[in-house]
Amino acid sequence: MTPYNPFQIQQILERTPWTSNFRSASDREWWENLRQQVDPALIAEILSDARHALDHPPVFMPASTYLKFRDYGDRREFEALIHSRGRAVAGLALAECFEANGHYLTALRDYIWAICEQSTWSYPAHLAELPDVADPYIDLSVAMTALALSDVFLLLGDQFEAGVTRRLKHELDVRVWTPYLAHQDFHWQGNSLDRTIGNWTAVCTSGVLGSAINMNLDPKRLSLIVDRGLRSLDEYLDTFDPDGGSSEGPGYWDYGFGYYSIIAQLLAQRTNGTIDLFEKPQVREIAQFPLRTQLSAKQYVTFSDCSLDVEMESGLLELLSARLGFSGLRELRPDYRKPRVSVRGLTWLIRDLTFGTREEGGKQTPLPEHVWFSGLNWMISRDSGTGLVLAIKGGHNQEQHNQNDVGSLIVHLDGESLITDPGRGKYTRQYFGPERYDFLVNSSRGHSVPVVNGHTQPTGRNAHATVIEHHHDGERDTLLLDMTHAYPAEADLESLTRKATLDRNNHEITLVDTFAFGDSAGSFQSVLITFGNVTVGEDHLVIRGKNQAIRIGFNPAVSQFEQETVADVELDASVVDIHRLIFSPVQPVQSGSVELTIGSIA
């Protein structure tokens, strides 16, 4: 926990001169030097966005569009309006910084004024009903908007009329700082009896504190905000397991820990290193999470609501590489020469441009042979001889961004997950409502886990696995889970274990599900999930992806195979057909096992 109280924090702030986090546009030498370091394609896209904003003034944001989430579950149309304003602000602000001709200032002012006049900065998915402007709610969008606008102020605030600055400070005060200090019941401010915090805590806290620091709030008031924020951030760090793992997955690590890193950098600068959140003991472990969850180059484990295609923020990876010395993080950056303005607003784009080196990474750091997240019960094991990777999880069914997936596994080969976890579905009102587990990707039917006597896994912490054995050496890695309690009492399970082994000598994975029913013979299905094309032989099947293929062997005298295809499943960024590969005893039995061997095809 933080060693400082508000009075001590105020003293630290008062004796530390305030300096801007970025060089303002008036520092022409600095910006000209930066322009020489940035790829021309990225500059061209920034200028293109700016010119588009010049020709397209801010559009009206009607209440009826906001209410489409409440009425139809559509969150994307209104969010697209918010994001388009954020993109316009980023393009206009940076174009003015690079070109310094005043050409973009009028349009930028108009966009800032329009954002100040929005009835709410919140996403409709987080309020549903029309907002109460007398009682502002701080959500992810409010926090990100606040931080981005304060970043504009650092870059170009000296070129706006005093009225614009006064209006911006007023809106930040009434929408962000005052409600933050008035409330202790925003769900992201800390753990409660019925809810644990997650990425929201880091993002929202960063937006509140960061905007207050950027706008040079007076030390007495800022100290109260910092004091409360530090306590929330301590609780955020506690959501990670002892090995730095998060059940939210790599995508939300990038989002949540990314904003944690922003406020850590700002606080360290504002206090001349006296308050340095990077010095927290667990931060070094957390910072390595993406390095440890790689399946292959820039491909990650997709447990929970994690997108299949995660692109880490370049500015975050540069910052952590420089601050903590993990040079391998730099290798995870998206291609720094590739224009990417369209997927980020000003807050990350300015940090992408200004943090660290823009040089290409050196020799690829070898991926770890074995990773174990002890609090999550995640094992990731690699056969460097073939490139075959096994990722398997235990855990429980009340995790952050939970999916009912106790025992789920991924088999990955050279850039493709042939046995996959579908990851994040399309976000809608229903996706986060009572119907959440009706979605295939959230139900255990959409994961590589058993179906027992027709029963899938329920939600809740009581639906869990217990680790019986975890073993790693140079020859093989094994995880043995007791999954008996991952299924409801109606399944009549007396016992269920899952044993997954990666054998580096034989270059294969074995998966053994062993079960026993309590009263009588029952049905048991061991299911694997794939997007690939499946061909079936007498004692094996082959899954082919875009470039790779694996062979799954089974004993036809003991186990039978069938395939079910669920068409047109909506994921975060695509629509796919999901194939459920079902292995079961040839006849109902009271006890038995299903054993599969999985290997690459030479």
Side-chain angles (χ1 to χ4, degrees):
M1 298 296 289
T2 175
Y4 302 110
N5 61 41
F7 179 66
Q8 292 170 313
I9 294 170
Q10 181 180 341
Q11 290 180 310
I12 293 168
L13 295 170
E14 287 174 341
R15 67 171 179 254
T16 309
W18 179 83
T19 57
S20 171
N21 188 42
F22 305 115
R23 301 293 182 91
S24 73
S26 59
D27 188 339
R28 295 316 309 153
E29 181 180 359
W30 189 89
W31 278 96
E32 290 299 330
N33 287 337
L34 179 64
R35 183 166 189 163
Q36 298 306 312
Q37 300 173 41
V38 177
D39 185 74
L42 183 53
I43 298 291
E45 189 174 359
I46 290 170
L47 296 177
S48 175
D49 273 6
R51 288 191 292 270
H52 183 273
L54 290 176
D55 295 333
H56 296 82
V59 300
F60 178 56
M61 301 175 74
S64 57
T65 304
Y66 196 91
L67 289 174
K68 283 186 177 181
F69 176 78
R70 183 198 69 182
D71 297 338
Y72 310 109
D74 175 12
R75 61 183 288 169
R76 298 198 174 193
E77 184 174 346
F78 197 89
E79 286 184 16
L81 295 176
I82 291 177
H83 296 162
S84 68
R85 289 186 171 190
R87 180 173 179 177
V89 166
L92 291 166
L94 289 172
E96 185 60 38
C97 287
F98 281 123
E99 300 209 328
N101 54 15
H103 186 56
Y104 305 98
L105 286 174
T106 298
L108 179 59
R109 179 184 57 199
D110 287 346
Y111 267 94
I112 292 173
W113 199 260
I115 293 171
C116 287
E117 290 189 337
Q118 286 176 214
S119 294
T120 180
W121 294 347
S122 294
Y123 289 143
H126 302 153
L127 288 178
E129 297 293 340
L130 293 174
D132 180 358
V133 295
D135 185 20
Y137 176 61
I138 302 174
D139 74 342
L140 299 171
S141 181
V142 172
M144 292 187 293
T145 300
L147 188 55
L149 290 176
S150 70
D151 283 338
V152 176
F153 176 79
L154 294 183
L155 297 174
L156 293 157
D158 59 354
Q159 300 188 41
F160 292 131
E161 297 89 343
V164 175
T165 299
R166 285 195 300 269
R167 178 69 186 276
L168 178 56
K169 288 184 176 179
H170 170 77
E171 296 299 334
L172 289 171
D173 188 5
V174 299
R175 295 174 189 259
V176 183
W177 306 327
T178 292
Y180 180 70
L181 290 174
H183 280 266
Q184 298 187 49
D185 56 351
F186 292 139
H187 70 81
W188 50 266
Q189 288 181 293
N191 291 319
S192 65
L193 295 177
D194 58 354
R195 185 180 179 115
T196 57
I197 60 174
N199 67 83
W200 275 60
T201 299
V203 177
C204 293
T205 304
S206 179
V208 175
L209 271 65
S211 62
I213 291 172
N214 283 348
M215 302 302 292
N216 197 22
L217 204 61
D218 70 272
K220 183 176 182 179
R221 194 169 185 215
L222 179 56
S223 69
L224 299 175
I225 294 174
V226 170
D227 176 66
R228 181 169 289 187
L230 290 177
R231 299 174 196 281
S232 294
L233 292 171
D234 278 339
E235 291 199 29
Y236 170 70
L237 293 184
D238 288 342
T239 66
F240 292 83
D241 87 342
D243 307 293
S246 170
S247 64
E248 292 187 291
Y252 278 106
W253 174 92
D254 178 65
Y255 186 42
F257 192 65
Y259 275 90
Y260 176 93
S261 299
I262 286 176
I263 196 57
Q265 187 267 344
L266 278 172
L267 276 170
Q269 178 182 352
R270 181 62 181 85
T271 63
N272 196 27
T274 303
I275 300 177
D276 190 345
L277 302 185
F278 288 118
E279 293 296 323
K280 297 281 186 178
Q282 60 267 59
V283 164
R284 293 189 65 83
E285 298 298 322
I286 296 169
Q288 297 178 76
F289 185 59
L291 292 171
R292 293 168 174 168
T293 52
Q294 285 187 96
L295 298 172
S296 57
K298 300 177 186 176
Q299 296 287 312
Y300 302 92
V301 167
T302 53
F303 297 143
S304 304
D305 279 338
C306 182
S307 296
L308 296 175
D309 298 311
V310 175
E311 287 196 331
M312 302 290 174
E313 297 287 359
S314 295
L316 170 62
L317 300 171
E318 294 283 3
L319 173 61
L320 294 177
S321 297
R323 185 62 177 79
L324 300 175
F326 298 126
S327 59
L329 288 170
R330 185 168 288 125
E331 298 167 8
L332 307 182
R333 297 173 304 174
D335 187 344
Y336 74 96
R337 296 159 300 188
K338 176 183 176 183
R340 301 185 68 242
V341 173
S342 60
V343 295
R344 62 195 61 218
L346 179 64
T347 292
W348 273 118
L349 184 55
I350 185 62
R351 287 163 175 84
D352 287 355
L353 293 170
T354 58
F355 283 171
T357 178
R358 304 307 298 172
E359 297 175 358
E360 291 186 82
K363 183 179 179 181
Q364 180 72 36
T365 302
L367 298 178
E369 181 179 80
H370 171 267
V371 174
W372 173 242
F373 293 105
S374 57
L376 301 178
N377 306 153
W378 289 13
M379 184 180 79
I380 304 168
S381 297
R382 189 179 317 276
D383 175 16
S384 58
T386 61
L388 196 65
V389 186
L390 166 67
I392 181 170
K393 72 180 295 291
H396 59 81
N397 283 337
Q398 198 173 325
E399 296 170 340
Q400 296 168 319
H401 276 268
N402 181 71
Q403 297 179 357
N404 290 343
D405 61 354
V406 172
S408 183
L409 65 113
I410 298 168
V411 176
H412 187 88
L413 183 61
D414 290 339
E416 293 187 72
S417 291
L418 283 308
I419 297 173
T420 192
D421 185 305
R424 170 177 165 175
K426 180 181 177 181
Y427 281 9
T428 62
R429 180 190 63 202
Q430 294 82 1
Y431 192 87
F432 288 103
E435 308 98 326
R436 176 176 177 84
Y437 297 99
D438 294 338
F439 288 83
L440 181 70
V441 297
N442 296 328
S443 163
S444 64
R445 285 190 67 249
H447 295 85
S448 297
V449 300
V451 175
V452 183
N453 260 336
H455 292 278
T456 55
Q457 297 177 8
T459 189
R461 184 174 288 272
N462 289 334
H464 69 278
T466 301
V467 177
I468 301 173
E469 176 190 358
H470 166 246
H471 173 79
H472 161 65
D473 61 33
E475 295 184 351
R476 64 183 56 83
D477 295 345
T478 297
L479 181 61
L480 177 60
L481 299 172
D482 181 349
M483 294 175 54
T484 310
H485 297 290
Y487 292 84
E490 294 78 10
D492 190 34
L493 266 178
E494 184 174 280
S495 65
L496 170 59
T497 63
R498 164 161 281 192
K499 184 176 183 179
T501 301
L502 182 136
D503 187 325
R504 297 185 181 87
N505 290 330
N506 294 320
H507 306 298
E508 67 180 14
I509 295 165
T510 59
L511 180 68
V512 183
D513 291 332
T514 303
F515 61 90
F517 294 113
D519 295 328
S520 59
S523 65
F524 183 87
Q525 298 178 334
S526 185
V527 180
L528 301 178
I529 299 296
T530 186
F531 301 143
N533 296 316
V534 181
T535 56
V536 183
E538 182 179 350
D539 62 353
H540 71 280
L541 56 88
V542 173
I543 301 175
R544 297 189 182 277
K546 295 179 181 178
N547 301 301
Q548 304 297 333
I550 58 173
R551 181 185 190 277
I552 303 175
F554 63 95
N555 184 350
V558 177
S559 300
Q560 59 188 357
F561 169 76
E562 61 179 307
Q563 177 177 330
E564 175 191 359
T565 297
V566 183
D568 299 330
V569 177
E570 289 189 303
L571 302 184
D572 173 44
S574 60
V575 177
V576 300
D577 292 345
I578 288 180
H579 307 296
R580 303 180 70 246
L581 313 181
I582 303 167
F583 302 87
S584 57
V586 294
Q587 60 185 14
V589 292
Q590 190 160 4
S591 64
S593 65
V594 174
E595 180 172 348
L596 307 173
T597 59
I598 306 167
S600 62
I601 296 176

